């Protein structure tokens, strides 16, 4: 199975993470697991990549973090949720992806 180059997907990590957060707030490990599941194992986001994306997106106002206790109340965990600005950014990145896919597709020969 071919793997996705981190160089190719780097510009879309924010889009992928924001997609996960559209439905509900989540935390790092769960986001990483959902990315793996949704991509059917074709993309595994590195922990350092994930947390640097959280830092950058929070600084830009696309997400916000908050601390919540886990179900059993014994542990606290940092959760992330998308902001209105993040939803706008997500929409812009989706439009950009459609254009990118259209342009690159013109240069890919089907086997």
């Amino acid at each position: 199975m071919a793997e996705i180059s981190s160089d190719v997907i780097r510009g879309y990590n924010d889009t992928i993470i924001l997609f996960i957060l559209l439905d509900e707030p989540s935390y790092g490990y769960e986001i990483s697991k959902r990315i793996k599941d949704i991509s059917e194992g074709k993309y595994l986001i590195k922990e350092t990549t994930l947390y640097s994306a959280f830092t950058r997106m929070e600084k830009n106002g696309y997400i916000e973090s908050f601390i919540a206790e886990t179900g059993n109340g014994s542990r606290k965990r940092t959760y992330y949720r998308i902001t209105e600005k993040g939803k706008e950014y997500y929409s812009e990145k989706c439009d950009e992806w459609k254009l990118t896919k259209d342009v690159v597709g013109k240069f890919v020969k089907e086997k």
Side-chain angles (χ1 to χ4, degrees):
M1 168 176 30
E3 291 184 12
I4 297 172
S5 161
S6 60
D7 289 337
V8 170
I9 207 159
R10 183 176 295 124
Y12 289 93
N13 280 325
D14 291 1
T15 310
I16 292 166
I17 294 165
L18 292 172
F19 172 83
I20 303 289
L21 296 176
L22 285 172
D23 293 332
E24 62 185 349
S26 192
Y27 56 95
Y29 174 76
E30 182 63 28
I31 291 169
S32 173
K33 185 176 176 307
R34 292 219 31 225
I35 291 169
K36 179 182 176 186
D37 292 346
I38 292 168
S39 72
E40 299 172 344
K42 294 178 182 120
Y43 183 52
L44 308 175
I45 192 166
K46 294 177 183 168
E47 190 173 329
T48 54
T49 302
L50 185 63
Y51 285 95
S52 64
F54 289 155
T55 301
R56 181 183 59 258
M57 288 195 294
E58 191 162 27
K59 180 181 173 187
N60 290 332
Y62 303 146
I63 63 172
E64 53 191 20
S65 62
F66 62 97
I67 306 294
E69 289 186 5
T70 59
N72 59 18
S74 64
R75 253 179 85 194
K76 293 185 179 180
R77 188 175 271 148
T78 302
Y79 280 78
Y80 300 89
R81 71 177 141 237
I82 192 169
T83 63
E84 283 304 314
K85 187 175 179 183
K87 290 176 184 175
E88 292 169 15
Y89 178 66
Y90 172 78
S91 179
E92 291 167 12
K93 292 299 282 183
C94 287
D95 290 343
E96 177 186 270
W97 170 248
K98 290 172 191 167
L99 178 59
T100 301
K101 192 169 73 166
D102 180 52
V103 170
V104 173
K106 294 180 186 318
F107 299 94
V108 175
K109 287 188 178 186
E110 299 296 324
K111 291 182 180 179

